[in-house]
Amino acid sequence: MSKDLWTWGGTYFGRRERDELWSHHGTHVGRFVGNEVYGPDGRYLGEIKNGKLITQISSKSRRKSPFSRKASRVGHVPCVDHAGTVMYVGYEDFPNPEAL
């Protein structure tokens, strides 16, 4: 199962493959636990809401078990960005792939 994902602001991020999040650069960025995604150090990065990546500010202190990143792989050409969505109160946009 592979699904292309965009941030709440409309920036193409990469793909979810099973429970792994990959940037379009080919970097293993995170692991999903349900709809929430956590970084290799175990910190909460964000979640999927209405099919887009977003970060709930009050959840930023959440932690899960850390894991080792998978080896980087060849990236892919990013899909076209989408129009952003009005931000919910208490949320912020998911980090861009370059920030992770």
Side-chain angles (χ1 to χ4, degrees), residues 5 22 39 52 66 70 77 79:
L5 292 170
W22 293 86
K52 292 184 178 180
K70 296 180 184 272
V77 176
C79 295

Side-chain angles (χ1 to χ4, degrees), residues 3-8 35 47-54 82-83 85-88 91:
K3 178 174 172 57
D4 288 317
L5 292 170
W6 285 261
T7 67
W8 200 258
N35 281 335
E47 57 198 70
I48 295 181
K49 192 171 193 65
N50 298 332
K52 292 184 178 180
L53 293 165
I54 191 169
H82 288 177
T85 306
V86 175
M87 190 63 62
Y88 290 125
Y91 287 82

Side-chain angles (χ1 to χ4, degrees), residues 30 35 38 56 76:
N35 281 335
Y38 293 84
Q56 185 173 21
H76 61 274

